Structure formats: C-alpha cells, structure tokens
C-alpha cells in the first residue's frame, strides 16, 4: 500500500498539473500522459481530469476509499480579462498525512503567485488588443472594403478605438486620409488626360501592335492597327507569319531594304517607314509604321512595338505638291533654255550672214570667231544642263580635296578681287574622294562667283574641309543624303545672304536674282547635279544680311592611292601620227557625218562612213580593220552606238572606241561614268579637240600594243 502523502504536496501537484493541462487542453493524449506522471508521484493512487462538457480522463484508482486524500484545481483559459474554467483536475491520495496544513499553505501561496501572473498577462493582452490590434484590424477591414475605382473612401474607426488608439497608429491613419484626398483631387485630371489621349489616337487614326521578330508573328494587335491593314484582329494574330500578310498587302516591297531595316532593329534602332498597301476593295493606301525595338539587358531585341498611321491624304498632297514643283521647274527650265539658245542662235546666224556679205578676209574671220564663241557658250550651257540632270559625262579619279582647293586658291583670289579676304582650310589632310576634279573645280568656282556678287563692298570667304560620318538620324535631317562617310567642302561668305523664299529656289535651274547679263541661274543647280551624280549631296545655310554657306558632301573613296598624272597627253596632236589612220565613222545625221569626215580627212585619216548600226555590221564583214571606231551613241534602228560597238568587237578587237554624244544616258556609260577602255567626245567639239582625242586613242593603242604578251596570247 502506498505511503500516506502530505495533503499540501497533493495540492501543489494539483496546481502544477492544472497549469500543464491548461496548456495541453487541446490534446487529450498529452493530458493522459500528464495524469500518468502525476499518479506515478509518491503517495498518489489516482487522477481525474473532468471537463465541463462531461468528458473525463481517469488514471489510477479514484473511488472506494473514504479516507483518501484529494486535491482539486480548475484548468481553463482566460479571455478579455475574465477566467472561464474548462474543467477540474482532481488528484487522489490514500489519506491525509499528519502536518498537511503546512503543505496546503504552501500550495495556496504558489497558486496565488500563478494567479497574479495570469492576471498581469491577461491585462497586458487586453491593453494590446484595445490600443493596437483592434485598430489595425478595423483599418485592414476598411481598406479591403474600399473599391479600387474609388479614392474618396475614408477609413472610419469606432469611438472606443479612436479613444484608445496609440499615437503612431493615429499618424498612419491621418497619412492614409491625406493620400486619399490627394488621389481624389488629382484623379479627375488623370481621367480627363486619358480621355484626351484616347481621342487624339482615334482622330490621328493610329494603331498599336507588337511583333515577335524571332517568330515573325504578331503577338498583340488592337482593332485600330488591324483596321489600317483592312483586316480583323484575329486575322492579324492568327496569320502564320508576317510574310503572309506582307505578300497580300504591301506593294513595291524591297527585300534589300527589309534586310537593312531588320539589321537596324537588331541593333536597337527605331525605324520609320511608309508602306503602300492594297485593300480588299483594290484601294491603295499609304501606311506609316514606326517600329521601336524593346531592348533587353545584354540581349538582342526579341519584340518590336509598332505604331501605325494612315498617311494617305498627306502623301497624296505631297505628291501633288511635288508634281506642281516639277512642272514649275520644267517650265522655268524650258523657258530659260529657249531664251538662252535663241540668243545664241541669233548670234551664230547673224555672224554667219555677215561673214557671207563681208569682202575683206579679216572681217570675215572676225564674224566667224564671233559665231564660234557663241557655239562655245552653247556647249557650256549644255554641260550645265547635263550637270543639273545628273547625266554629264564624268571622269572620276582619286583626289585629295585639300590639295585641289589649295591649288585653286590663286584662281579663287583672282575671282574674288582685293576687297574680299580668304580664310584657307587648315588642319590635316582629309579623306580621299573619288570625283571628277575638273567638274569639281567648276562647281567651286560657281560658288565663289556667287560669293563675290554677294559681297560687293568686300568681306570674307571661309573655306573649310571636314570628314563627316553621317548616320541614319543625321541623314533624315539632310534632304538627298544617305548614311555613310563623306568629305565636306564648305564655302561660307559674309555677304547679303538670302531670304527664305529665295533660298527655297536657289538650286532651281535658271533661277537668279542677278541683273540681266550677270548670270544664267545655272551655277548652284550644276553644283547640286554634280554632287548627286558623284554619290553625294549639297546643303545651303543662309541668313539674310549675315551671309551664306554652301556645303558639298562627296563620298569617301575606298582607295587612298592617288594616280600619277605627270604623263598627261598633250592637247595638240602631231599630224604625222594621224596620217593613214583608218577611222570607222558612224553618224546618222548626213550633214554632221560629212562635216566629221571632212575634218578627219584633213588630218590625213582614211574614213569609212556608216549611218546605222545594222549597215555598219554589213560593212564590217568586208572592210579593212579600222584603228578607231568613232560612233554617235544615239543611232536609229534597233542598235544604238553602245550595241554597235559591242558587236564590232568580234570583228575588230584591237580598235579603240570613241563615242560622240550630246546627251550621255546612264545605260550607255554606267550612270554617267565613262566605261573602262572607251572614250567620249562631247558635242559640240572643235577640230583641235577632235585631233587631241584621236591622238589619245592612237597613243593608248600604241601603248597597249607594246605590252608583253601574256601566257594565253
């Protein structure tokens, strides 16, 4: 039989057990284990945990002994400062031992201490709940109930919460109220701006889409963009690839330009293009598309944002304006040509008539010289017209711009006069250029002449040279330019300058503000045509009353080797070299053919004449091989001068070809440039010029004939 325990010890164990059960109330297994531990203590025979709901957990013996010593203690939890027991723990001992009063007193003291601690904890929790937790809960609930579209909803607290809320929470609530008022006041403006933006996009007929450049498919498209393509949104998004849409929509598509656009986009550059598309109805529209690549850190762009706009009306207006300007330019050109050539024809015909009436040889020669001078003026005017039309024959070579300008300085000083100072170009040598030096000098002298007329009282002409690397953005700012490397030659004067109206027509042919007889108005138009034919462009910068600057941009040459011109051929041809030279003359104009043949025979040449390419080929089968083929480019029939010369090569491979032309077409001489191995004699030409050209041709033929034979000869 168990020893009889001290009742005070049982009371202490009951208090300790109730505290442990209170913390384990939710787990009956732990409660069972706690009771077993208590029963295992000295002098206990049983333990019982009686729940308020009638559930009991019993360990050991709890009945049958009226002398048994018992001790009970409530277990439960405290809420809101009150204690509501959930059950009672009862411990059973065999009997009350002697001296149990002291043990009971000790147990009561411990229970009192525990009760005080529990009360303090409950009080602290109640304070925390009232001052912090409850306000936070109400704040969170109010924010959850606030609609996202409303910014005028204020946070409301109960009166009790407002009285007991802590200071920091009051500040947070006040800040939230302030922010809400700010949003409430600013949002109507934001809505208004959003409405205006939407209206602007709708009025401008702009659409938005996103293109995956890797998959070549649209991944997003709004109805406006699909409408620009005359398609539904699903049609655009479900299309297999962008090529499918392009083949059905885009007219005049250029694969080379497309590759250049793709390369620019991969480099992260925006592209602005206008496409001509055909709708289902057959209507043609112009759609401008701005393509903006979306860059990713360290990677190439994968998607491109597209903004499209219908610019048909603007483009048609531009085309009408350009056509009107073109008609106006043609009118001015026709009128100027007719005026100048009528004057020249009058001078020529008048002097020929006077020469026929003259009796003295000296007087007759004077009239003939006057007529020839007028012919030379007409030839110069023709050259200017060809330069403007970008069809003049050019003989480009690698030259240094600084050396050319430096060599021209004496002529420039003479043209400007003593009142005008020259600021020479400084700095190192610039890039080399590939251009016709003689034509470039003529262009520069035209600009110098205009500068001299603009500074009648004197001034300064500044000549500058610079290397310019024009990118795509800069090219869009300079009409007529393309990205690339250029050498810029700038001539800036301090003269009278031009008004905007005059500057807009400065490059038009026959437009001039000078007095009658002071200029033809072809100077700057010739400069423009030469620059464009050479692969460059020009620009004009002027301020009325301050001066004018004309810039010529010529492309950088790929080679830096300057050809040696020290062995240039003489202009006068020794007559002995031309004697016995066989010339095949091809000219369809009877009078010109007779005139040319007479000049050739005066040099001692043997001349075989033909009027068309077909007749020339008939003669070629039986005639002696010519030394020179002298042919007009424009011939009647199916064969022009180029075709005829090509066909004669198999008959006369050693003959040198000289073309005669008053207008050299691009197809004839490779976009205005002389083809390799062939020469050009520009109409009209003098007898001396014909002799010099024949001498050059014979010299070239002699030089090539002296070359050593190759392995295949």
């Amino acid at each position: 039989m168990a020893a009889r325990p001290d009742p005070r010890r049982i009371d202490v164990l009951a208090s300790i057990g109730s505290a442990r059960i209170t913390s384990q109330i939710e787990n009956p297994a732990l409660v069972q284990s706690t009771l077993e531990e208590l029963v295992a203590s000295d002098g206990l025979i049983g333990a019982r945990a009686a729940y308020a709901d009638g559930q009991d957990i019993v360990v050991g013996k709890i009945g049958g002994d009226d002398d048994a010593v018992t001790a009970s203690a409530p277990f439960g939890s405290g809420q809101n400062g009150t204690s509501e027991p959930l059950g009672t723990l009862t411990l059973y001992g065999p009997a009350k031992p002697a001296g149990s009063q002291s043990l009971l007193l000790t147990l009561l003291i411990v229970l009192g201490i525990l009760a005080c601690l529990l009360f303090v904890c409950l009080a602290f929790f109640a304070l925390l709940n009232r001052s912090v937790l409850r306000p936070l809960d109400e704040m969170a609930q109010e924010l959850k109930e606030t609609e996202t579209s409303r910014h005028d909803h204020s946070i409301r607290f109960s009166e009790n919460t407002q009285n007991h809320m802590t200071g920091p929470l009051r500040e947070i609530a006040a800040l939230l109220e302030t922010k809400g008022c700010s949003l409430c006041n600013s949002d109507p403006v934001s809505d208004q701006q959003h409405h205006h933006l939407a209206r602007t996009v709708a009025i401008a007929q702009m659409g938005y889409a996103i293109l995956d450049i890797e998959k070549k498919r649209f991944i997003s498209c709004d109805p406006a963009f699909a409408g620009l393509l005359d398609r539904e949104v699903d049609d655009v998004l479900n299309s297999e690839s962008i090529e499918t849409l392009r083949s059905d929509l885009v007219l005049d598509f250029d694969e080379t330009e497309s590759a250049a656009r793709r390369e620019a986009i991969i480099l992260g550059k925006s592209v602005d293009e206008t496409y001509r598309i055909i709708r289902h109805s057959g209507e043609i529209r112009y759609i401008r598309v701005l393509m903006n690549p979306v860059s990713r850190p360290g990677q190439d762009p994968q998607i491109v944002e597209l903004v499209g706009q219908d610019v048909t009306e603007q483009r048609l207006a531009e085309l009408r304006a350009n056509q009107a300007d073109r008609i106006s330019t043609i009118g001015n050109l026709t009128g100027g040509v007719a005026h100048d050539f009528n004057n020249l024809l009058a001078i020529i015909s008048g002097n020929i008539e006077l020469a026929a009436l003259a009796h003295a040889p000296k007087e007759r020669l004077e009239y003939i010289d006057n007529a020839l001078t007028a012919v030379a003026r007409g030839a110069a005017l023709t050259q200017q017209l060809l330069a403007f039309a970008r069809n003049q024959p050019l003989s480009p070579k690698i030259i240094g711009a600084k050396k050319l300008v430096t060599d021209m300085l004496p002529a420039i000083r003479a043209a400007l006069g003593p009142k005008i100072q020259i600021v020479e170009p400084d700095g190192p040598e610039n890039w080399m250029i590939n251009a016709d030096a003689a034509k470039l000098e003529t262009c520069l002298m035209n600009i110098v002449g205009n500068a001299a007329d603009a500074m009648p009282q004197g001034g300064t002409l500044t000549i500058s040279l610079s290397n310019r690397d024009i990118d795509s953005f800069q090219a869009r700012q300079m009409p007529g330019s393309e990205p690339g490397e250029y050498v810029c030659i700038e001539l800036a004067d301090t003269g009278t300058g031009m008004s905007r109206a005059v500057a807009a027509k400065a490059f038009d042919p026959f437009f001039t503000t000078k007095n009658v007889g002071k200029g033809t108005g072809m100077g700057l138009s010739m400069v423009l045509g030469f620059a464009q034919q050479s692969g460059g462009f020009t620009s004009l910068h002027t301020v009325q009353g301050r001066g004018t600057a004309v810039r010529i941009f010529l492309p950088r040459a790929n080679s830096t080797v300057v050809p040696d011109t020290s062995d240039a051929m003489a202009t006068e041809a020794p007559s002995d070299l031309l004697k016995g030279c066989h010339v095949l003359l091809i000219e369809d104009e009877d009078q010109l053919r007779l005139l040319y043949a007479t000049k050739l025979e005066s040099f001692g040449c043997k001349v075989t004449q033909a009027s068309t390419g077909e007749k020339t080929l008939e003669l070629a089968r039986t005639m002696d091989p010519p030394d020179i083929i002298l042919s007009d480019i424009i011939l009647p029939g199916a064969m022009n001068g180029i075709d005829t010369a090509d066909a004669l090569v198999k008959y006369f491979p050693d003959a040198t070809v000289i073309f005669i032309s008053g207008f050299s077409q691009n197809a004839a001489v490779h976009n205005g440039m002389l083809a390799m191995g062939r020469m050009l004699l520009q109409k009209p030409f003098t007898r001396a010029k014909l002799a010099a050209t024949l001498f050059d041709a014979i010299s070239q033929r002699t030089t090539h004939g002296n070359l050593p034979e190759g392995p295949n000869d």
Side-chain angles (χ1 to χ4, degrees):
M1 184 175 180
R4 298 178 63 86
D6 188 351
R8 288 177 295 180
R9 174 177 171 78
I10 297 178
D11 291 338
V12 173
L13 291 176
S15 298
I16 294 174
S18 65
R20 291 182 61 183
I21 291 174
T22 298
S23 62
Q24 301 168 353
I25 195 71
E26 300 294 333
N27 194 331
L30 292 178
V31 173
Q32 176 81 19
S33 176
T34 299
L35 295 180
E36 290 175 352
E37 292 177 5
L38 292 174
V39 171
S41 301
D42 294 339
L44 293 182
I45 61 174
R48 174 184 179 183
Y51 287 81
D53 57 359
Q55 179 184 357
D56 290 342
I57 298 177
V58 178
V59 174
K61 182 180 179 182
I62 61 173
D65 189 355
D66 295 335
D67 295 331
V69 179
T70 62
S72 299
F75 60 85
S77 60
Q79 295 289 339
N80 300 324
T82 62
S83 178
E84 182 181 357
L86 299 179
T88 302
L89 171 64
T90 304
L91 299 181
Y92 295 85
K96 292 182 180 180
S100 60
Q101 296 296 328
S102 59
L103 179 60
L104 179 61
L105 180 60
T106 302
L107 181 60
L108 291 176
I109 294 173
V110 172
L111 289 176
I113 294 173
L114 291 176
C116 291
L117 291 175
L118 180 61
F119 176 78
V120 170
C121 291
L122 293 176
F124 176 76
F125 178 78
L127 179 62
L128 180 65
N129 181 65
R130 181 180 61 180
S131 301
V132 177
L133 297 180
R134 188 179 298 169
L136 287 176
D137 183 64
E138 294 184 11
M139 188 183 300
Q141 189 65 26
E142 290 287 341
L143 291 175
K144 289 179 182 178
E145 295 177 356
T146 303
E147 297 180 6
T148 57
S149 60
R150 292 182 56 196
H151 303 288
D152 57 345
H153 185 89
S154 60
I155 300 175
R156 298 177 177 86
F157 298 96
S158 64
E159 183 177 356
N160 184 55
T161 300
Q162 292 178 6
N163 293 333
H164 298 92
M165 190 187 308
T166 62
L169 284 179
R170 294 180 189 275
E171 294 180 4
I172 293 175
L175 288 174
L176 288 175
E177 292 288 347
T178 303
K179 292 295 183 182
C181 293
S182 176
L183 289 173
C184 181
N185 294 331
S186 63
D187 195 61
V189 178
S190 177
D191 289 343
Q192 187 178 21
Q193 290 176 344
H194 182 272
H195 174 73
H196 289 169
L197 179 60
R199 289 291 300 157
T200 301
V201 171
I203 293 173
Q205 298 180 342
M206 299 176 67
Y208 178 82
I210 298 178
L211 174 67
D212 188 325
I213 59 177
E214 299 294 333
K215 298 180 180 179
K216 297 183 179 181
R217 295 186 61 181
F218 286 100
I219 58 177
S220 177
C221 173
D222 65 7
F225 191 90
L228 293 175
L229 304 181
D230 195 28
R231 298 291 190 275
E232 298 294 334
V233 173
D234 292 341
D235 296 335
V236 176
L237 298 180
N238 296 333
S239 179
E240 294 182 0
S241 68
I242 191 173
E243 279 82 3
T244 305
L245 285 172
R246 186 189 68 200
S247 60
D248 295 339
L249 281 170
V250 182
L251 301 175
D252 309 325
F253 187 80
D254 192 306
E255 293 289 349
T256 303
E257 293 181 357
S258 176
R261 285 193 295 269
R262 180 178 177 84
E263 182 179 356
I265 289 174
I266 291 176
L267 294 176
K269 299 178 180 179
S270 296
V271 177
D272 189 350
E273 288 291 341
T274 299
Y275 299 93
R276 201 164 65 103
I277 70 168
I278 183 168
R279 302 170 70 92
H280 287 120
S281 62
E283 180 186 13
I284 295 177
R285 308 292 293 180
Y286 291 88
I287 305 299
R288 179 187 179 189
V289 180
L290 177 61
M291 292 166 269
N292 181 51
V294 179
S295 301
R296 297 171 296 172
Q299 300 181 17
D300 293 335
Q302 185 175 2
I303 64 173
V304 180
E305 295 178 313
L306 290 85
V307 177
Q309 184 181 22
D310 191 323
V311 294
T312 303
E313 300 304 325
Q314 298 93 309
R315 178 54 64 91
L316 293 179
E318 291 174 2
L319 294 176
R320 288 191 291 268
N322 291 337
Q323 185 177 16
D325 291 342
R326 194 178 302 113
I327 293 175
S328 175
T329 300
I330 293 174
N332 292 336
L333 179 62
T334 304
V337 171
H339 175 270
D340 286 6
F341 270 101
N342 283 335
N343 290 341
L344 294 174
L345 291 175
I347 295 173
I348 295 171
S349 62
N351 279 279
I352 292 176
E353 290 176 352
L354 293 176
L357 296 175
H359 298 287
K362 183 178 180 181
E363 184 180 4
R364 186 180 299 112
L365 289 176
E366 183 178 352
Y367 291 138
I368 293 176
D369 286 341
N370 291 338
L372 291 176
T373 301
V375 171
R377 289 174 54 191
L381 180 59
T382 302
Q383 288 295 323
Q384 291 175 337
L385 290 171
L386 288 174
F388 169 72
R390 301 185 294 280
N391 275 301
Q392 64 176 331
L394 299 178
S395 299
K397 60 183 179 180
I398 306 298
I399 58 176
K402 186 173 183 179
K403 183 179 185 305
L404 182 140
V405 172
T406 302
D407 294 343
M408 289 182 61
L409 287 177
I412 294 175
R413 289 193 180 93
L416 293 176
K419 295 182 179 180
I420 300 176
Q421 297 180 350
I422 300 177
V423 178
E424 301 179 12
D426 56 3
E429 187 67 44
N430 298 87
W431 292 331
M432 307 302 290
I433 57 177
N434 188 23
D436 189 316
K439 297 295 192 299
L440 177 56
E441 290 178 359
T442 302
C443 291
L444 295 179
M445 291 306 297
N446 284 339
I447 300 173
V448 169
N450 290 340
D453 294 337
M455 297 182 289
Q457 305 303 323
T460 302
L461 177 68
T462 303
I463 305 176
S464 304
L465 299 173
S466 61
N467 298 332
R468 300 288 297 274
D469 189 355
I470 306 297
D471 58 24
S472 58
F473 175 79
Q474 292 172 316
R476 289 196 293 268
Q477 316 301 316
M478 300 178 179
S481 66
E482 294 290 339
E485 294 179 332
Y486 298 86
V487 173
C488 175
I489 306 175
E490 178 183 18
L491 284 78
D493 63 61
T494 57
T496 56
M498 307 178 192
S499 65
R500 290 186 178 181
V502 172
K505 298 182 179 181
F507 290 102
D508 291 353
F510 295 105
F511 175 79
T512 180
T513 57
K514 300 176 183 178
N515 296 327
V516 178
K518 296 295 183 180
T520 63
M522 289 296 296
L524 288 182
S525 62
M526 177 184 177
V527 172
L528 174 63
F530 167 77
Q532 292 179 339
Q533 190 176 359
S534 300
F537 60 98
T538 61
S539 66
L540 177 71
H541 305 270
T542 181
V543 178
Q544 193 167 10
R546 301 291 297 275
T548 300
V550 180
R551 297 173 183 170
I552 303 177
F553 292 82
L554 297 175
R556 179 185 184 181
N558 294 329
S559 174
T560 58
V561 179
V562 180
D564 185 10
T565 59
S566 59
D567 296 331
M569 303 304 298
T571 57
E572 294 297 329
S575 57
D576 293 342
L577 188 62
L578 297 179
K579 287 183 179 180
C581 178
H582 185 192
V583 180
L584 173 58
L585 175 62
I586 310 171
E587 171 59 60
D588 61 302
E589 289 286 344
D590 294 339
Q591 292 184 351
L592 281 178
R593 189 172 65 252
L594 178 61
L595 176 63
Y596 297 156
T598 303
K599 289 183 179 182
L600 291 170
E601 290 172 350
S602 69
F603 301 144
C605 297
K606 176 186 175 182
V607 182
T608 301
Q609 302 181 40
S611 58
T612 64
E614 290 79 5
K615 292 182 179 180
T616 303
L617 293 182
E618 293 178 4
L619 289 173
R621 297 185 178 93
T622 58
M623 65 179 291
D624 295 334
D627 300 305
I628 297 174
I629 299 174
L630 185 62
S631 174
D632 193 0
I633 288 182
I634 308 301
L635 294 176
M639 301 178 64
N640 58 25
I642 303 293
D643 300 332
T644 303
D646 292 339
L648 291 174
V649 169
K650 65 179 181 179
Y651 295 102
F652 315 120
D654 297 329
T656 302
V657 178
I658 302 176
F659 289 125
I660 304 173
S661 177
F663 179 80
S664 53
Q665 298 174 345
N666 291 342
V669 285
H670 300 285
N671 196 25
M673 307 296 181
L674 290 178
M676 185 64 66
R678 295 180 178 180
M679 306 175 67
L680 180 68
L681 185 59
Q682 190 70 25
K683 293 181 181 179
F685 50 85
T686 63
R687 182 175 179 273
K689 180 63 175 176
L690 174 61
T693 304
L694 293 173
F695 176 72
D696 288 344
I698 293 297
S699 299
Q700 289 183 12
R701 188 169 183 269
T702 302
T703 302
H704 293 316
N706 294 334
L707 291 175
E709 294 183 352
N712 298 327
D713 292 340

